[in-house]
Amino acid sequence: MSATPAPTRAEAAALDAADGLASFRDRFLLDDGGPIYLDGHSLGRLPRATIERIGRTVVDEWGRGLVRSWGSEWIDLPRTVGDRLAATVLGARSGEVLVADSTSVNLYKLARAALDADPSGRRVIVTDRANFPTDRYILEGLGEVRFVDDDPDASAIASATSAGDVALVSLSLVAYRSGALLDLTGITAIARAAGAMTLWDLSHAAGAVPIDLEGAGVDLAVGCTYKYLNAGPGAPAFLYVRQDQQGRLVQPIRGWFGAAAQFAMGPVYEPADGIDRFAVGTPPVLGLVAVDEGVGVIAEAGIEALRRKSLALTDLVITLADQHLAPLGFDVGTPRAHHQRGSHVALRHPQAWRLCRALIEDLGVVPDFREPDVIRFGLTAVNTRFVDAWDAVDRLRRAADERAFERFPVERTRVT
């Protein structure tokens, strides 16, 4: 537990006054007088530029251009938006990122391709028990999964791959429940030394923490765009395939957008060159332009500046939790070291579900809940204020201290 005195609300307000990113808050559609929104790690806020861009796409490109817009505006969006994402968020090269499909579909495509390409026919996959459910489900359907403990470090991966029978190591860079940030470079190097490929899920990392896929030597990666990249509900995901892996991997879903001569529509499938071979079906144009605008805001703010503010915000929540929430039965489930932390804080409590409902329904704070006992505060640096973080912790303290949660049922709703 931290011995640092808890900052006052006035001190939090002073941090906002000195915040070099404060003006970016105005780039988003905000509900004046609405709740404190701390769920941007699940669904990011709507950028104002996206409203205008989608309107222009609908009216001018779809409404007036009709099918002609495929040739003039739309056909290359998966790759051009992927290149922008590569350069500004992922630390990748042009031609290595494609925006397409969902994270789940992309994970399947790349995991299956990696296993099929293993020269010795190995099928063992290493992942951790706390990995996102979809990831675990898909991996278990593809091969023998060897689980390591939650939020593994490089030594855990070294142990799991030491027998030389592992084909693929697949982990989330930032753990969805705890917010732990894993060692991208160290784990990737260990997997490579064991003869295994790496497949990273960047869903809770992209737009929140600096990522250098090229520098780390990562083989494959996937991630969603509707969290810290603010691309909207169900926006298309992205996949990354390092350039030297593209020619040797076989795309398992043979869609026409991944074909070399797409409009020849011939009887035999021949994959396109490069990253385009990992496409499947018709690109979702409205989603793609939303990704483009969301990435543009993050690029302008700068990932290093966003990271500095994110760490300051999460530091504030952790310090306040130590001082005001720990005596009420709370425990911080997120690593305290900066190099081991993403951009959300996991607050554990036996009554977490009902406390979360009290915050949302009575106290004007929107976090989220994850089983079995975690309230997640997502600190989205591009539009969250320090006073928002301070007030959210204070209202959570009141909910616990005054037992305001007791009127809420223990039964879960479908969406938590």
Side-chain angles (χ1 to χ4, degrees), residues 15 307-317 338 341 386:
L15 291 172
R307 178 61 171 165
R308 287 192 296 271
K309 183 179 175 183
S310 164
L311 290 171
L313 283 164
T314 50
D315 280 343
L316 175 63
V317 168
H338 282 183
R341 186 197 312 163
F386 289 93

Side-chain angles (χ1 to χ4, degrees), residues 96-121:
E96 292 185 324
V97 177
L98 193 75
V99 180
D101 300 313
S102 68
T103 309
S104 301
V105 172
N106 287 337
L107 185 83
Y108 170 80
K109 289 190 293 190
L110 297 191
R112 169 72 183 275
L115 293 175
D116 290 348
D118 188 272
S120 63

